[in-house]
């Protein structure tokens, strides 16, 4: 609720920082449910931050990452920089990546993270995203290689007696005795 009401970057950053501190406290107090809730709040806060950063870039309120080489000295002072807002480049990148997810897909990934944390696994949202994308890539690869392309398939073809033309080169090796 507080995230939805947050109107500026400072409020979102404050909520994110509180969530990070809350997670550390929960870890020390050995309260897994609070730790899960704090991790979830932090992920949603970073997503909200990413939405704000994207909107700020599109409206021209946030300056691009690198200043122009031939810009005049007075140019660009009216824009906000990430550094002035206390946002690192890594956080900006991570937040904008999270904001790029469709809401339903994002919620699914968050729920996956929460479920795995409830099982006692120490996992980050980024690791869930990476594992999910790897599973999708594996599934796509499996679909492409449904028939053929694996060693098992070649062994099965050879056992069935299939023969294929091939060019096999075995040039003579120059052999010298060293003794």
């Amino acid at each position: 609720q507080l995230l939805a009401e947050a109107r500026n970057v400072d409020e979102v950053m404050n909520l994110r920082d509180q969530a990070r501190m809350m997670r550390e406290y929960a870890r020390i107090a050995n309260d897994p449910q609070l730790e899960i809730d704090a991790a979830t709040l932090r992920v949603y806060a970073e997503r909200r931050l990413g939405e704000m950063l994207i909107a700020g870039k599109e409206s021209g309120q946030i300056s691009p990452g690198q200043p122009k080489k031939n810009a005049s000295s007075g140019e660009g002072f009216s824009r906000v920089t990430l550094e002035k807002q206390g946002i690192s480049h890594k956080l900006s990148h991570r937040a904008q990546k999270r904001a790029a997810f469709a809401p339903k897909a994002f919620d699914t990934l968050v729920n996956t993270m929460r479920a795995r944390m409830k099982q006692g696994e120490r996992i980050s949202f980024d690791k869930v995203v990476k594992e999910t994308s790897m599973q999708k890539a594996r599934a796509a690869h499996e679909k492409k290689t449904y028939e053929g392309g694996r060693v098992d398939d070649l062994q099965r073809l050879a056992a069935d007696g299939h023969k294929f033309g091939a060019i096999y080169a075995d040039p003579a090796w120059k052999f010298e005795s060293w003794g």
Side-chain angles (χ1 to χ4, degrees):
Q1 169 120 25
L2 291 173
L3 274 174
E5 294 173 2
R7 296 289 173 229
N8 61 37
V9 172
D10 292 334
E11 292 173 4
V12 175
M13 287 294 290
N14 188 26
L15 285 170
R16 178 188 170 271
D17 293 341
Q18 287 178 2
R20 187 176 60 197
M21 289 185 289
M22 197 166 65
R23 185 172 184 187
E24 289 301 317
Y25 170 76
R27 192 176 295 154
I28 292 168
N30 199 20
D31 187 347
Q33 187 58 47
L34 181 60
E35 188 175 348
I36 292 168
D37 293 341
T40 303
L41 177 61
R42 183 176 178 190
V43 169
Y44 276 106
E46 287 179 1
R47 178 179 170 82
R48 180 73 178 118
L49 176 65
E51 291 169 350
M52 289 179 152
L53 291 175
I54 290 170
K57 281 183 179 180
E58 289 174 354
S59 67
Q61 294 173 336
I62 298 176
S63 65
Q66 293 291 327
K68 295 178 183 176
K69 289 184 179 182
N70 297 329
S72 66
S73 60
E75 192 176 339
F77 279 105
S78 62
R79 295 183 185 181
V80 176
T81 62
L82 294 175
E83 189 176 311
K84 287 180 184 175
Q85 291 293 319
I87 302 170
S88 70
H89 294 288
K90 283 184 178 181
L91 175 58
S92 170
H93 178 72
R94 186 171 59 240
Q96 290 178 59
K97 275 176 49 178
R98 291 179 181 179
F101 283 105
K104 211 172 193 179
F106 186 79
D107 290 339
T108 302
L109 290 167
V110 169
N111 290 335
T112 302
M113 178 191 73
R114 289 180 63 88
R116 289 178 66 181
M117 288 177 81
K118 281 182 183 174
Q119 295 172 352
E121 194 174 341
R122 297 196 48 87
I123 190 161
S124 68
F125 180 79
D126 294 328
K127 188 171 181 179
V128 171
V129 170
K130 185 176 181 178
E131 288 176 358
T132 303
S133 68
M134 286 178 65
Q135 286 173 350
K136 287 180 182 178
R138 282 189 188 116
H141 180 72
E142 285 290 325
K143 189 175 181 182
K144 283 196 295 187
T145 59
Y146 178 69
E147 289 185 26
R150 289 183 253 151
V151 173
D152 295 341
D153 297 326
L154 294 174
Q155 289 173 343
R156 194 174 337 109
L157 287 171
D160 290 343
H162 290 285
K163 297 194 181 224
F164 302 94
I167 299 174
Y168 179 70
D170 189 12
W173 288 76
K174 190 174 183 180
F175 179 77
E176 293 182 19
S177 174
W178 290 80

